């Protein structure tokens, strides 16, 4: 690519966490910024029109008609589109909304006593929700994916540097368990616990201690950050290239625990926390 690469950055159905993670590069930003010209980034400046760009970093999945319009325009005006973070790559946490209809979601948000509201569902100036959350690659072609919630800053920087050098960004091919320093004894738990229950042994495998860890079905690249902090992996880096479905891969391991696995509450969300929209069964089938 040319010395000065035109870059666009946008948030669709996401939380801006991927944007903020860039700041965690700290002085490392100085290594890449001189080669970039950020020409579109609503989180930084109010730019009305999407210009032609070389690389577009897209955070967030497609949840509304407005998101869908934007991602089509971005694709048309970009040489390279990167699905940036778990929401763009897999649907992310918002993808769990696929368990419900848009009408059910709006009813819960605006008409229940869980929040202080007048019980009126707003319609004026509000984009219509799509029937389901979709990863951007289910709507347009995504040239590359940078997973994570958010991605490690070094992963984003590495992808940008690779593109500047005319190379394809490369993701790790192993699983989180391969990066995890905890001791594994190849045993299966007799019961499962919530992450706040009890105090995990800091040396032993969290799954084998009965915590709902997703490390065995999740792409490496984070350095096993959560298990290293005594918290189970939640699966935000998604599946590896060798796996068809992250939730199914995890379920295959969990099934070895027998009855204990059947007692896990909310199994759909536990095993597909970030990836339900790209799962083999991506939404709940609603009766007419």
């Amino acid at each position: 690519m040319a010395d000065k690469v035109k870059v666009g950055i946008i948030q669709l159905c996401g939380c801006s966490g991927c944007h903020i993670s860039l700041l965690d590069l700290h002085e490392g930003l100085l290594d890449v910024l001189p080669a970039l010209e950020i020409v579109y980034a609503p989180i930084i400046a109010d730019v009305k029109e999407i210009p032609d760009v070389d690389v577009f970093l897209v955070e967030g999945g497609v949840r509304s008609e407005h998101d869908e319009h934007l991602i089509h325009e971005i694709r048309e005006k970009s040489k390279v589109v990167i699905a940036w973070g778990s929401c763009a790559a897999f649907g992310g946490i918002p993808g769990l909304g696929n368990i419900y209809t848009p009408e059910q979601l709006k009813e819960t948000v605006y008409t229940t006593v869980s929040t202080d509201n007048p019980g009126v569902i707003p319609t004026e100036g509000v984009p219509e929700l799509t029937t389901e959350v979709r990863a951007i690659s289910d709507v347009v072609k995504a040239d590359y994916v940078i997973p994570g919630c958010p991605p490690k800053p070094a992963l984003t920087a590495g992808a940008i540097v690779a593109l500047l050098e005319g190379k394809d960004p490369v993701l790790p091919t192993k699983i989180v368990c391969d990066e995890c320093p905890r001791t594994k004894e190849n045993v299966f738990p007799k019961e499962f616990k919530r992450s706040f229950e009890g105090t995990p042994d800091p040396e032993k495998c969290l799954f084998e201690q009965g915590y709902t860890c997703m490390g065995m079905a999740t792409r490496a690249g984070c350095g096993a950050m959560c298990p290293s902090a005594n918290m189970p992996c939640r699966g935000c880096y998604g599946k590896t290239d060798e796996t068809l479905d992250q939730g199914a891969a995890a379920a295959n391991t969990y099934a070895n625990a027998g009855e204990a696995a059947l007692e896990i509450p909310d199994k759909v969300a536990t095993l597909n926390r970030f990836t339900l929209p790209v799962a083999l069964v991506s939404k709940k089938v609603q009766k007419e």
Side-chain angles (χ1 to χ4, degrees), residues 3-128:
D3 290 341
K4 208 74 169 178
V5 176
K6 293 183 178 180
V7 175
I9 309 174
I10 197 170
Q11 171 201 343
L12 301 181
C13 182
C15 68
S16 299
C18 298
H19 283 68
I20 301 304
S21 72
L22 275 178
L23 300 179
D24 289 335
L25 281 169
H26 304 298
E27 64 272 14
L29 281 170
L30 300 177
D31 296 331
V32 295
L33 283 179
L36 307 179
E37 180 184 359
I38 299 176
V39 296
Y40 187 86
I43 199 170
I44 300 173
D46 185 16
V47 181
K48 301 301 184 184
E49 299 293 331
I50 298 176
D52 292 332
V53 303
D54 295 312
V55 179
F56 222 117
L57 292 167
V58 181
E59 174 187 349
V62 175
R63 168 77 276 191
S64 69
E65 292 179 355
H66 182 58
D67 293 337
E68 191 165 4
H69 168 79
L70 285 173
I71 194 60
H72 279 293
E73 185 175 357
I74 288 167
R75 180 67 273 181
E76 290 173 3
K77 296 183 175 180
S78 306
K79 295 178 182 176
V80 173
V81 172
I82 298 178
W84 187 32
S86 297
C87 292
F90 321 121
I93 295 290
L96 293 177
N98 287 2
I99 299 172
Y100 309 97
T101 66
E103 291 70 30
Q104 288 171 329
L105 293 172
K106 288 185 283 189
E107 287 286 337
T108 298
V109 171
Y110 292 106
T111 67
T112 65
V113 294
S114 60
T115 55
D116 183 16
N117 59 62
V120 177
I121 298 176
T123 56
E124 186 176 352
V126 179
E128 190 66 32

Side-chain angles (χ1 to χ4, degrees), residues 8 14 16 34 53 63 127 148 158 164 175 190 207 231 241 260 276 279:
S16 299
V53 303
R63 168 77 276 191
L164 290 174
I175 58 174
K190 297 186 182 303
F207 173 75
M231 288 294 292
D241 295 333
L276 183 60

